[in-house]
Amino acid sequence: MTDLRITLIRHGNTDANNKRILQGHMDSHLTALGVEQARLAGERLASETFDRIYSSDLTRCKQTSRAISAHHPSVPVEWMYELRECTFGDLDGKSISTVFSGGRCDDNFIMEHGGESLEQFASRVRLAFDKLVASSVAKQDKHVLVVTHGGVLQNLGWYWQEILHYKCVRGNGLKSHGNTAITQVVLSQGDITSGKIEFANCNTHLIALPDDVRHLMAETPPPNV
């Protein structure tokens, strides 16, 4: 078995990102900026060789994955419910400031509204990663792309570093991924317990955006929801 390389990317910008709304499982669409971010990400990844693309089945990820897969038309795409953002139940679609204005943001509060606890979400994310790794190894894939959400990537960063003890070679950290920021991990011989983070949260492809847009993105990074 050869090494398995996994490139991961967060979806492009959405109106809910800008309005600081809990997206969760809300099926939001990319803004014009998000479409452009996805296009630039597609250009950056155009020269890569992917065996498979795994993507959250929510529209914002589908739009992002399609902008990338346009450069890889023969690569199969698998939509995975398990790669969705954390759901906050009937709080999905509400503003973050309004929901948490009363000071309650614990698991019980979220679960009372039909959402996932932190552990439920983390467990789902870990199982999704384990599942796609096992599937990729079984199919003898060498390089796969994962298109997902900020909360998922944040949880994966914790899983890799705290549970699997992956070392990060370089990058901007794993706690908060910007829109279309790219992270890459390599599993030696496809072994999930023997991996390293090649780079994290890289958005150099967005240098092509106007200076004022990049400045605004830096000043108001999107929440991981």
Side-chain angles (χ1 to χ4, degrees), residues 70-99:
H71 298 275
H72 307 275
S74 64
V75 176
V77 180
E78 297 186 19
W79 310 116
M80 290 182 64
Y81 177 93
E82 302 98 310
L83 288 174
R84 285 187 176 197
E85 184 59 271
C86 180
T87 180
F88 299 88
D90 59 23
L91 299 175
D92 285 351
K94 300 186 183 301
S95 74
I96 296 172
S97 60
T98 298
V99 169

Side-chain angles (χ1 to χ4, degrees), residues 206-218:
L206 300 181
I207 195 70
L209 292 172
D211 289 346
D212 60 332
V213 173
R214 288 189 289 110
H215 177 74
L216 181 61
M217 288 166 48

Side-chain angles (χ1 to χ4, degrees), residues 30-88:
L30 299 186
T31 60
L33 172 59
V35 170
E36 179 63 5
Q37 290 171 331
R39 185 189 70 80
L40 291 170
E43 289 185 353
R44 172 178 174 175
L45 298 172
S47 61
E48 298 287 347
T49 300
F50 295 115
D51 297 296
R52 201 168 315 279
I53 298 173
Y54 298 97
S55 174
S56 160
D57 63 348
L58 292 175
T59 298
R60 54 193 183 272
C61 283
K62 285 186 173 183
Q63 288 179 282
T64 304
S65 64
R66 285 169 178 152
I68 300 168
S69 64
H71 298 275
H72 307 275
S74 64
V75 176
V77 180
E78 297 186 19
W79 310 116
M80 290 182 64
Y81 177 93
E82 302 98 310
L83 288 174
R84 285 187 176 197
E85 184 59 271
C86 180
T87 180
F88 299 88

